[in-house]
Amino acid sequence: MPMTRRRFLKGGLAVAALGTMGATMPSVMVRSLYAANAAPGPALQGAPAGGPRTLVVLQLGGGNDGLNALPPFTSGAYHDLRPQLGLDESDGVAPIAEGLGLHPSLASLVPRWERGEMAIVQNVGYPEPDRSHFRSMAVWQTAQPAEAIEEGWIGRYLDFRAETGGDQWRAVGVDPGPSPAFRGGPFVPAVESIDGYTLQADPVYPRDQSSRLVAWQALHTAAGARTGSLPLLSRTGLEAFESMESLQAVAGDYAPMVAYPSGNPLAAALQTVAQLIDADLGTNIAYVTMGGFDTHAEEGDDHGPLLANVASGLNAFLDDLAAHGRLDQVAVMAFSEFGRRAGENGSGGTDHGKAGPVFLFGSGLNGGLYGEAPDLRNLDDGDLRYSVDFRSVYASVLEGWLGSESEPVLLGKFETLPIFRA
Amino acid sequence: MTTRRETGHLLRRAGFGARPSDFEDYAGLSWEAAVDRVLDYAVLPDALAATPTPTQQRPDSDELRLGAIDVIGWWLERIIVSERSFEEKLVFFWHDHFATAITKAPPPLMANQVVTLRRQALGNFRDLLVAVATDPAMLVYLDGNTNVVGNPNENYARELYELHTLGRGNYTESDIQETARALTGWGVDRRAQGSRFRTNRHDTGVKTIFGASGNFDLEDVADLIMAHPDFPTFMVAKLARYFVAPDVSDAYIIRLADEWVAADFELRPLLRAIFLSAEFRAGSYRALIKNPLEFTVSATRNLGATVAPRLVLFTAHTMGLIPLNPPTPAGWPAGAAWVNGNSVLARSNFANALMVASRERFRERGGDLPAVSFEPMEVLEARGATDAGSTVDAFADVLLDGEIDFHDREILIDYLGGGFVPDEAAVDEKGRGLVYLLLSSPAFALA
């Protein structure tokens, strides 16, 4: 049984024990100790009146090539490393700072950059980088580079903040299944589409639906007392039932105020997020994913369309939020499990790397560049040496945007960057 | 003798689920004979043998003319109806293990890969590994076709060790880079929809892999993997966790791995040892969670129904599993990853769609509804149901191997109502509702 704050408090374990046990204690227990000491209250102060703040986490799976998403296009070293793939102003790179630009397919974000609604943390990574997609993604999702653990950083956040939040919609994954970043925490609804998040009736016998639903719940309740995976199925079924009822009660009023691009799954997912935010379910964190960034070959053909979907999806989403008067409630953080090798390979692509940029969007942040640009003349086995620990970005978001302590969530203290307005 | 419970268990794991008639066919067999019947699927009739593959249907097809949905539907139809259910289960396992995606590799190549996996599914692992390494869809998906002398591409070499054969921590970054060099030269021959080795693109220099040096090529890499001490346990653990239980013991894995090495990596004796083991036969009943494909297809097969592939595809897609399009080179997640709010509701909605679309009056109308054939009265008449209790038991026999919890049975009898009599009208409303509830129940989500 996962230990939530409430369960822990009932247990009454002495906080003083942390001093001697901290190094060897399971992280779940460390988290609970922090939770027991946390002063409740200031957490939600400063949230805008329209509703609680929402963080949208956008996972770009496969390893987004940061050096071409954010090309140092005047650097000789960059073009030496990438004779074919290197981008220049003649390719349509949109300059945003001295010697630094956005990929041509991200150029539609420039007005947002100029309005100060976009921040870029350069050269983000973690100690002893791993070039495996799966290990590296797990590091970002658990916020634990040193050891493989089950629970995700958002799961820890949700448990830590359990007393301040509302119900099941405090976090949501707009995906067929919830991200591993939610593991270890409370139930988080996974929503593939809002229309689909319901139990359909037999159209021939609509009057039978209420007895079906009674039996449906009874079957799920009864399974809770059994063994194996049945308690998990029972609990999840009952949570799904309850969250379905609360969602369907409020989700009817939304209509998009902008045209979301078609044929862009990310845009569709973000529209679902906009609908959930508009429904005022108290959603603190929404998680969306997009894959396909593993550009080992013919990156020149493939990377642009991917980034174009990111830019057009985000622009529609942020414009829609603004039209609904919700833009000041939302921040977006886009990350990838790693960047790619500094030099191109022989297939017109790039192999797995070690560091890359994190992009943030919203009207509540201090737009601009954070962190140092990568040094292309001082590589580590052909890779960028990271200069900002990704947990510093998480800490900045947790403290600066969500108004939460970060230490209990990240299981350590990390420097924060002034990405968000005080 | 093989019990109903054991037949259901075996055919759920070594296949996509028992059909009603399977229970009678297996009842008279010893456990060993039942396992051999599953393994010897090649002697069973192949109802779709005469059906041409998508590329045979349209030999000049390229990615524009042969759509992804055509190819996925072609395979799904076979998964749903095949007499040789274990064959398709193995193909799915190998497709999940050696994952490739139809959004990157062209549909005709994916169709051909399914045929290749089917041919190699229960043979020698080394042959399978070499067939996959030179499979055109794999060469495209993990960029082997652009891996050439002087400019190695390490994508395939990394996943070959991390995902296909050894597991993380059992090789070095240098092993990956050197292996990529050894595999240079293999490319896709688009016209022939096959692969070929281009000698002039192969790196003939000395490579050092796992501490050994030589002018290695693909065959040498396959030998080096077979000789690697971590390979047998890695592969056996993957199979055992998929076919038996997620928490099989280390001792069990080591015992099977030792037998597998002695059998020179032949897959049939390994799978036979797995299914004959007590850990499988008695120790793993309902220890797994069905993935979306296993859920939808087992519902269909258990009921003796047939369903249009597109209803299965729609549901599996909603739950996050599109056959031939895994999300990453690691394939799909397993177990508890399939238990979440979206999947719980999607499973029930599939059950509802199955019951609604199989009504004769809807079937005749056609149109937007997928074709489903299922006659609840047939199941009930065959089992002599006369009242609420025997009606619940009849469907629990086919959907839950007769292993229904006492409380669940009471809940369902309450749902049918005290005076329930299984006539046409009552079955059309409550009988279909009962099947809907059984398919929605937590027990049916387990494999």
Side-chain angles (χ1 to χ4, degrees):
Chain A
M1 178 182 289
M3 182 176 275
T4 66
R5 178 171 182 223
R6 234 165 280 122
R7 272 182 232 124
F8 174 77
L9 287 177
K10 278 187 196 154
L13 184 56
V15 175
L18 181 63
T20 52
M21 295 169 61
T24 53
M25 277 166 60
S27 52
V28 62
M29 203 168 282
V30 175
R31 172 227 310 168
S32 299
L33 285 166
Y34 278 117
N37 273 339
L44 284 183
Q45 284 173 15
R53 286 179 168 179
T54 306
L55 170 69
V56 179
V57 180
L58 168 53
Q59 171 181 307
L60 306 175
N64 179 31
D65 183 10
L67 268 185
N68 267 24
L70 189 68
F73 64 100
T74 59
S75 153
Y78 168 69
H79 290 285
D80 288 348
L81 286 159
R82 300 183 162 203
Q84 284 182 60
L85 282 180
L87 296 168
D88 219 324
E89 272 187 286
S90 62
D91 299 307
V93 167
I96 57 167
E98 184 64 38
L100 198 66
L102 291 175
H103 188 285
S105 296
L106 295 177
S108 62
L109 294 169
V110 168
R112 229 164 268 289
W113 171 264
E114 289 171 347
R115 289 202 298 273
E117 293 175 7
M118 178 172 173
I120 302 171
V121 188
Q122 305 184 87
N123 210 21
V124 183
Y126 57 87
E128 293 178 45
D130 196 305
R131 283 176 178 160
S132 154
H133 288 295
F134 313 100
R135 176 62 197 142
S136 200
M137 189 57 92
V139 168
W140 281 80
Q141 289 170 337
T142 61
Q144 276 295 287
E147 50 168 339
I149 61 170
E150 182 68 12
E151 55 184 28
W153 73 277
I154 302 176
R156 283 197 300 274
Y157 165 80
L158 294 171
D159 255 6
F160 173 60
R161 299 289 296 274
E163 75 287 4
T164 65
D167 65 349
Q168 299 157 309
W169 290 95
R170 225 151 40 87
V172 59
V174 182
D175 257 330
S179 165
F182 292 119
R183 278 188 197 146
F187 172 83
V188 170
V191 180
E192 208 266 341
S193 76
I194 287 177
D195 289 346
Y197 204 80
T198 188
L199 284 176
Q200 286 151 6
D202 184 337
V204 180
Y205 301 101
R207 64 178 180 196
D208 193 45
Q209 183 66 359
S210 60
S211 13
R212 285 189 184 195
L213 294 185
V214 167
W216 195 102
Q217 291 180 85
L219 289 169
H220 282 82
T221 305
R226 294 174 206 156
T227 55
S229 296
L230 290 170
L232 170 69
L233 283 153
S234 159
R235 201 163 61 238
T236 308
L238 295 173
E239 296 263 23
F241 193 93
E242 196 185 320
S243 56
M244 163 190 88
E245 291 196 312
S246 52
L247 175 67
Q248 297 303 337
V250 297
D253 299 334
Y254 165 86
M257 309 277 274
V258 303
Y260 281 80
S262 60
N264 178 345
L266 174 64
L270 288 170
Q271 185 177 345
T272 301
V273 175
Q275 187 172 357
L276 290 165
I277 289 168
D278 191 62
D280 272 327
L281 288 155
T283 301
N284 247 194
I285 297 193
Y287 204 101
V288 292
T289 63
M290 172 177 172
F293 286 87
D294 198 17
T295 49
H296 284 275
E298 295 165 42
E299 179 174 328
D301 294 340
D302 295 343
H303 199 215
L306 292 164
L307 294 177
N309 275 356
V310 172
S312 65
L314 281 172
N315 278 324
F317 174 63
L318 295 167
D319 288 346
D320 191 23
L321 290 174
H324 281 91
R326 301 276 189 177
L327 186 59
D328 59 353
Q329 259 176 263
V330 178
V332 179
M333 174 179 73
F335 80 96
S336 195
E337 72 267 37
F338 41 56
R340 308 194 72 83
R341 206 71 50 84
E344 65 190 29
N345 61 23
S347 320
T350 48
D351 293 320
H352 301 179
K354 293 177 183 167
V358 173
F359 296 86
L360 298 108
F361 301 88
S363 61
L365 49 78
N366 296 309
L369 289 170
Y370 295 85
E372 286 170 36
D375 181 354
L376 297 181
R377 302 207 183 270
N378 177 19
L379 298 174
D380 166 21
D381 190 20
D383 268 319
L384 311 181
R385 295 176 190 276
Y386 82 98
S387 50
V388 176
D389 190 303
F390 74 109
R391 289 165 294 181
S392 273
V393 182
Y394 285 2
S396 309
V397 170
L398 285 163
E399 295 186 15
W401 182 246
L402 294 174
S404 168
E405 287 177 71
S406 64
E407 209 172 336
V409 177
L410 303 177
L411 308 175
K413 186 72 191 157
F414 295 91
E415 183 191 355
T416 57
L417 307 166
I419 299 169
F420 294 94
R421 292 204 208 111
Chain B
M1 287 298 110
T2 304
T3 63
R4 170 170 285 271
R5 170 187 167 111
E6 288 171 335
T7 299
H9 178 54
L10 178 63
L11 298 187
R12 209 158 26 246
R13 303 298 185 81
F16 283 95
R19 292 158 309 180
S21 59
D22 287 327
F23 289 109
E24 289 134 49
D25 292 347
Y26 278 75
L29 302 178
S30 68
W31 182 247
E32 201 168 343
V35 168
D36 282 337
R37 184 181 165 120
V38 163
L39 291 168
D40 294 334
Y41 56 74
V43 306
L44 296 172
D46 180 0
L48 295 178
T51 309
T53 65
T55 49
Q56 287 167 341
Q57 289 164 31
R58 282 180 270 180
D60 60 340
S61 57
D62 57 27
E63 52 257 62
L64 296 178
R65 269 171 281 178
L66 186 62
I69 298 296
D70 298 327
V71 173
I72 295 168
W74 160 76
W75 186 27
L76 269 179
E77 183 181 5
R78 201 179 176 100
I79 287 173
I80 294 163
V81 307
S82 181
E83 291 285 325
R84 308 164 161 197
S85 199
F86 185 43
E87 182 177 41
E88 298 312 314
K89 188 70 171 269
L90 282 167
V91 175
F92 183 81
F93 172 81
W94 292 122
H95 163 55
D96 188 11
H97 181 70
F98 296 114
T100 55
I102 204 161
T103 44
K104 182 165 178 183
L109 301 190
M110 294 298 292
N112 290 342
Q113 188 192 62
V114 169
V115 174
T116 298
L117 293 177
R118 196 173 284 144
R119 192 165 53 236
Q120 302 280 353
L122 202 53
N124 188 282
F125 182 86
R126 191 187 176 286
D127 295 343
L128 173 64
L129 185 68
V130 171
V132 170
T134 58
D135 175 74
M138 181 61 85
L139 287 167
V140 172
Y141 182 66
L142 292 180
D143 300 309
N145 61 330
T146 67
N147 181 30
V148 295
V149 59
N151 275 315
N153 184 310
E154 65 191 46
N155 198 9
Y156 174 72
R158 178 182 304 280
E159 308 307 12
L160 171 65
Y161 292 153
E162 179 175 349
L163 302 175
H164 300 169
T165 59
L166 300 179
R168 210 172 134 267
N170 296 324
Y171 53 86
T172 65
E173 284 289 317
S174 170
D175 289 332
I176 290 172
Q177 286 156 7
E178 295 285 280
T179 300
R181 290 180 55 215
L183 301 178
T184 48
W186 283 98
V188 178
D189 184 339
R190 291 261 175 190
R191 273 208 335 231
Q193 289 176 353
S195 58
R196 65 196 172 102
F197 183 68
R198 300 158 300 185
T199 314
N200 61 339
R201 300 196 184 175
H202 178 66
D203 184 336
T204 54
V206 170
K207 303 102 183 170
T208 300
I209 301 170
F210 311 144
S213 298
N215 173 17
F216 296 140
D217 61 10
L218 170 61
E219 296 291 335
D220 299 316
V221 169
D223 287 338
L224 287 167
I225 291 170
M226 297 301 112
H228 194 292
D230 295 307
F231 163 67
T233 47
F234 173 85
M235 198 59 238
V236 167
K238 178 100 184 234
L239 282 156
R241 287 178 189 136
Y242 184 84
F243 284 103
V244 183
D247 57 351
V248 289
S249 71
D250 289 350
Y252 180 68
I253 291 167
I254 290 166
R255 170 163 69 79
L256 289 167
D258 287 346
E259 290 180 31
W260 198 37
V261 173
D264 197 23
F265 305 112
E266 288 292 328
L267 288 161
R268 191 185 183 285
L270 173 60
L271 269 303
R272 189 168 193 272
I274 285 175
F275 294 133
L276 288 178
S277 70
E279 286 85 346
F280 175 81
R281 182 182 183 183
S284 69
Y285 190 70
R286 290 184 185 163
L288 296 176
I289 292 164
K290 289 175 181 170
N291 72 29
L293 191 62
E294 291 164 343
F295 175 84
T296 49
V297 178
S298 68
T300 308
R301 291 177 68 95
N302 287 169
L303 290 169
T306 62
V307 58
R310 69 185 173 101
L311 180 58
V312 168
L313 181 57
F314 172 80
T315 300
H317 170 230
T318 299
M319 292 166 69
L321 191 160
I322 304 173
L324 302 184
N325 202 36
T328 73
W332 288 278
W338 297 119
V339 183
N340 58 67
N342 174 52
S343 66
V344 164
L345 301 175
R347 281 197 292 269
S348 282
N349 290 336
F350 171 80
N352 189 49
L354 200 64
M355 290 304 101
V356 172
S358 63
R359 284 200 178 93
E360 198 173 347
R361 55 187 181 277
F362 285 121
R363 210 153 60 219
E364 286 165 357
R365 195 187 298 166
D368 281 347
L369 287 165
V372 176
S373 88
F374 163 59
E375 290 297 345
M377 288 303 285
E378 276 179 16
V379 176
L380 295 174
E381 282 165 8
R383 310 197 72 76
T386 54
D387 59 6
S390 53
T391 298
V392 171
D393 292 341
F395 286 116
D397 269 1
V398 294
L399 291 172
L400 297 173
D401 324 325
E403 301 281 330
I404 185 169
D405 182 272
F406 169 79
H407 295 100
D408 290 0
R409 190 172 180 277
E410 291 298 302
I411 290 163
L412 294 168
I413 289 172
D414 276 357
Y415 163 76
L416 291 178
F420 178 85
V421 177
D423 59 30
E424 285 280 352
V427 168
D428 193 57
E429 177 178 6
K430 288 284 184 177
R432 286 176 192 276
L434 169 67
V435 175
Y436 164 81
L437 288 166
L438 279 164
L439 293 175
S440 300
S441 70
F444 188 75
L446 299 178

